[in-house]
Amino acid sequence: MVKNYNNFLQIFLIFVFLSIFPSIIHAQCAGDDNVFTVCDIPNNANQTINLFAKLNGTPVSGGVWADVDNSGGLNATTGILNAQAIRRSGVYRYRYTVSGVSGCTDDSAIVQVTIGGYSGVSSPNVTVCSDMRNYNLFNAFSGLSLGPQSNGKWHNDTTGQNMPSSIFNVENLEGNFQFTYTMPAIGTCPAMSSIVVVTVEKAPKSGLGNNLILCGDDDLTSYNNYDLFDALSGEDTNGIWFDLNNTGELTSNDDHFIDIQNIHNKFGSGGFFFSYVVASSNTICPDAQTIIQIYLESKLDFTGAIVQVNSDICETELLTAQYSVTITRGNAVIPNGAYYVTFDVSGPRARRETIVANFINGVLIFPISSSYFQTVGRFKVDIVSIVAVNSLKKCTNIINNLSDELIVYPIPDLAGAKITPATVCQNEDGTIQITDAVKLADGEYDIVYNLTGANNASSQIARLTFVGGVSNDFIVPGILNQKSGTSVVTITAITHVISQCVNSANLKGNILINPLPNATSLRMQVADVCFGEQVTASVSGLGTLTDVTLSYILFGSNTATVQTVVLTTSNGNASFAIPANFIINTGVTTISIIKLTNNITGCSIDVSGVSDVFSVNSIPVAPAANNQEFCKVDGATIANLEPKGAQYTWYDSATATTPLASTYVLKAENYYLRQTTLRCISDPTMITVALNDTPAPVLNDVADFCGVDNPTILDLSNKTSSPSTVVWYDAPNNGNLLPSSTPLVNRTIYYGFDLSTTTNCYSEQSTPVTVSLIECDSPQYPFFIPDGFSPNGDGVNDLFEITNIEFLYPNYTIEIFNRYGNGMYKGGKDKPGWDGINYENKGLNGGVAPNGVYFYVIQFNKDNKPPKQGRLYLNR
């Protein structure tokens, strides 16, 4: 049991040792802290101190060094410390750190180093010039490989004063000065001191210069004799002035006056340099020189310059708009470069602002904040000043009035507006006006409109000027008003001309288009007239027009410029009198209608080709005519009067207007002759008509004759009182004149008229005479009865007749029989001859008597003479 316990204890102790020992081995991986001192700074061995070797314990290599107090002497990569690179004495810490090693309970260690003081070794002789003003005494150690540390104390041995720093003010001093530099003791390192001797040589003084800056464009007369010494202070007076720009103003070594006005006149603006030189009296100090500048600045002239704020916008663009200002120079040249531009902006957010921008080739552009322009309105951007960034600001540049307006335009709005109704004629321009556009700012606008209804058109454009919500008249062209009726004008869009701000619209109005008068059937007629008569023009073809105005012209023998006449029509017709003052000449005149106007609608149409030609005829002179005589028996009429011709008319009085008919029978009275030429009637010429008459002839004996004697008209004339002058007619009026050889006819009435050998007129009245030819003594006048005839139609012997039997036996009868006793013919005085036709029985051979012998019976019926029988032969 004990043995087992001992074994267990041994095993446990081994486990504990194995668990604890690694920690003991690796607890100080970076080594232990250490402290050491370096006093002999100049010793070269102190340039390469290995800090890793200075660590106590058993540090692990590969760690990292850190200069905890920033001494500046550690190479962190190698762990080498250069004590000479540490510029101040003192105590400095350096940390060594090991990382990535398991089991380390302390992975860093500190090496603390005390750096002793070192005052350095100064140069044996130091000489400076007093113009250095401030000399750094550490410069006395220049040229040595190891200089003094910087945290020591300086003491001025010459004045016996401690110095706050290493700076020695040598200005205005001259002579030798000694200084002691002491580094205090630290730790085990003692204090250390060094002596520095400085010799100061006096420097010449050319003084402090004050440059003179003037505006060359101002009046410089007060600088006509400028003393250059006025630009210096604290200078030695034994120096010489030099003209570095060769202006010609300095004429000798003693001259120090210049004419600045003259310089500007000759050379213009710019910098002009003058040097004042005082020679040094030693070899240490250089000659002193002060250069002063006379700078003559030029005014920038922006006369005629233009500023433009880009750009005007519409109200809808407020959220996204960006703006810029462009300034373009006027006639004067503006140098390229940067400029301060100060400007004011008006409006609700008005303020002044200055920006920097560049002029490039006469143009300057800069952005301007949109915050100024957040509402509808007009905003003025006024340029207050423009000054070059490199300007000395001695000149006030010429700006004058350099401004521009930026406008935020409202969207054009026709809400509530009205279109005044228009009434026009076909093909005429329609005049439209918009009123009550109270939401529309004054200005010019382009509208887009459509036409519907009687006429159709789309996307028509018109430009309008609105003042106080009312537009000027705009025209709907006549070409869009070709059809009569009502057209609807619909404005669909409106654009502000200047801003090009656009908005939709739906504004409607009406145009009533009246039809043009219809002149297709129009006609004009004017009758020829006589000079002095009223000229009446007849117009037809006016259709349904009731109240019209005609415009017409006259040309030809009579002329008139455009005349108008108002007509009231009836059934499409009208007439009017052409004013007499237009008809002043005879000849041919043309009247032409040039325009027809419907007075009810006011619509007119130009007319061509409707004209008429009329003549204004001269009044003819009264015709020549003589008194005239006629035979009363002739029944002379107006037609018999001389002169004859269609142009002549006769009247029964000087004032009568109705002419006598040509058939009017003349009377013994006065007649009046007028001449008509082209319907114009002359004054009357009076003549007297005489009617001559002869008494009717007287019959001295009865007009009985024996027909067998074949009496003639001559035999009848011989029975009158004037057998040599009497003439006979077969009718009392309009009868035929019977020659004297005309055989008399029994029981015929003849009309005798006597002729006056003086007037050569026949009697008006006639003497009617009935002739009897039966007064014959029968025994005295035998008659012949033919014994045959041949009715064959050859014109020879076609009738069976007994010549002159009617004169001897006026009441005789004759009958003809065939051999069978059948009657063939019955005749007498009124039916004297037989033509061979059986008139008693036409059914036999069609009534044609055949050849053969026939028998006749004559009844004389006078003086109880017995009938006579005989025979005749018919041979066809």
Side-chain angles (χ1 to χ4, degrees), residues 47 58 157 189 241 256 355 437 459 474 493 536 639 753 847:
Q47 289 182 329
T58 56
D157 299 337
C189 297
W241 284 97
H256 50 87
I355 56 89
S459 302
F474 76 91
T536 299
F753 297 86

Side-chain angles (χ1 to χ4, degrees), residues 729-792:
Y729 287 83
D730 57 7
N733 297 303
N734 301 319
N736 297 306
L737 177 64
L738 302 175
S740 61
S741 60
T742 301
L744 297 177
V745 178
N746 187 43
R747 297 183 180 276
T748 299
I749 300 174
Y750 295 93
Y751 301 89
F753 297 86
D754 199 4
L755 174 66
S756 170
T757 57
T758 302
T759 64
N760 203 32
C761 291
Y762 290 97
S763 59
E764 179 188 19
Q765 299 298 320
S766 63
T767 300
V769 177
T770 300
V771 173
S772 174
L773 299 182
I774 60 173
E775 294 301 322
C776 296
D777 186 4
S778 298
Q780 185 180 355
Y781 298 98
F783 56 86
F784 172 72
I785 299 174
D787 58 2
F789 73 108
S790 57
N792 55 11

Side-chain angles (χ1 to χ4, degrees), residues 305-357:
I306 298 173
V307 62
Q308 184 175 11
V309 183
N310 295 316
S311 61
D312 297 344
I313 65 167
C314 301
E315 181 181 0
T316 53
E317 301 173 82
L318 280 173
L319 295 178
T320 59
Q322 295 181 339
Y323 309 92
S324 65
V325 178
T326 300
I327 301 174
T328 304
R329 69 174 179 84
N331 293 329
V333 175
I334 305 300
N336 290 343
Y339 289 79
Y340 293 110
V341 179
T342 301
F343 59 91
D344 291 334
V345 181
S346 66
R349 300 184 180 185
R351 72 183 181 94
R352 177 168 291 185
E353 183 178 348
T354 300
I355 56 89
V356 176

Side-chain angles (χ1 to χ4, degrees), residues 519-855:
T520 56
S521 299
L522 185 63
R523 298 292 183 269
M524 163 77 78
Q525 286 186 328
V526 180
D528 294 345
V529 297
C530 299
F531 186 75
E533 288 183 345
Q534 176 178 290
V535 180
T536 299
S538 297
V539 182
S540 62
L542 292 170
T544 59
L545 298 176
T546 59
D547 185 4
V548 300
T549 295
L550 282 183
S551 299
Y552 66 92
I553 59 173
L554 299 177
F555 56 92
S557 296
N558 296 282
T559 61
T561 55
V562 179
Q563 302 297 313
T564 59
V565 60
V566 177
L567 301 177
T568 299
T569 69
S570 175
N571 297 323
N573 301 316
S575 63
F576 64 94
I578 300 174
N581 59 304
F582 294 147
I583 311 299
I584 59 176
N585 299 309
T586 60
V588 176
T589 300
T590 299
I591 182 171
S592 181
I593 298 175
I594 61 173
K595 180 178 286 187
L596 174 63
T597 301
N598 183 343
N599 293 335
I600 295 175
T601 64
C603 294
S604 299
I605 187 170
D606 291 334
V607 177
S608 62
V610 179
S611 61
D612 194 23
V613 177
F614 64 93
S615 295
V616 178
N617 300 315
S618 300
I619 302 297
V621 298
N626 299 317
N627 295 334
Q628 299 176 45
E629 294 183 1
F630 296 92
C631 296
K632 188 176 181 181
V633 68
D634 292 338
T637 64
I638 292 296
N640 297 114
L641 292 174
E642 295 290 342
K644 291 181 173 64
Q647 71 271 34
Y648 299 112
T649 51
W650 295 88
Y651 301 83
D652 56 8
S653 74
T655 59
T657 58
T658 301
L660 297 172
S662 62
T663 58
Y664 177 84
V665 179
L666 297 176
K667 301 176 182 178
E669 59 185 354
N670 294 332
Y671 292 92
Y672 299 85
L673 174 65
R674 295 178 184 269
Q675 180 176 216
T676 300
T677 302
L678 299 176
R679 213 176 57 79
C680 297
I681 303 174
S682 69
D683 289 336
T685 297
M686 186 190 79
I687 67 167
T688 300
V689 171
L691 296 179
N692 299 316
D693 195 12
T694 301
V698 177
L699 187 65
N700 295 330
D701 192 4
V702 295
D704 292 337
F705 300 93
C706 179
V708 179
D709 293 334
N710 295 318
T712 65
I713 288 296
L714 178 60
D715 296 320
L716 183 58
S717 298
N718 290 331
K719 289 189 176 188
T720 66
S721 59
S722 53
S724 62
T725 58
V726 68
V727 291
W728 299 92
Y729 287 83
D730 57 7
N733 297 303
N734 301 319
N736 297 306
L737 177 64
L738 302 175
S740 61
S741 60
T742 301
L744 297 177
V745 178
N746 187 43
R747 297 183 180 276
T748 299
I749 300 174
Y750 295 93
Y751 301 89
F753 297 86
D754 199 4
L755 174 66
S756 170
T757 57
T758 302
T759 64
N760 203 32
C761 291
Y762 290 97
S763 59
E764 179 188 19
Q765 299 298 320
S766 63
T767 300
V769 177
T770 300
V771 173
S772 174
L773 299 182
I774 60 173
E775 294 301 322
C776 296
D777 186 4
S778 298
Q780 185 180 355
Y781 298 98
F783 56 86
F784 172 72
I785 299 174
D787 58 2
F789 73 108
S790 57
N792 55 11
D794 62 358
V796 178
N797 203 21
D798 285 330
L799 291 178
F800 174 77
E801 59 183 347
I802 302 171
T803 305
N804 293 330
I805 190 173
E806 71 274 13
F807 298 119
L808 299 175
Y809 303 100
N811 297 318
Y812 83 98
T813 63
I814 184 171
E815 288 183 280
I816 298 176
F817 303 93
N818 62 16
R819 59 183 177 170
Y820 302 108
N822 296 322
M824 299 296 290
Y825 167 75
K826 181 182 286 186
K829 178 182 64 175
D830 297 325
K831 188 178 178 184
W834 180 46
D835 57 3
I837 300 300
N838 183 0
Y839 292 99
E840 301 299 324
N841 185 6
K842 288 191 176 184
L844 184 63
N845 295 325
V848 176
N851 292 342
V853 177
Y854 293 85
F855 303 92

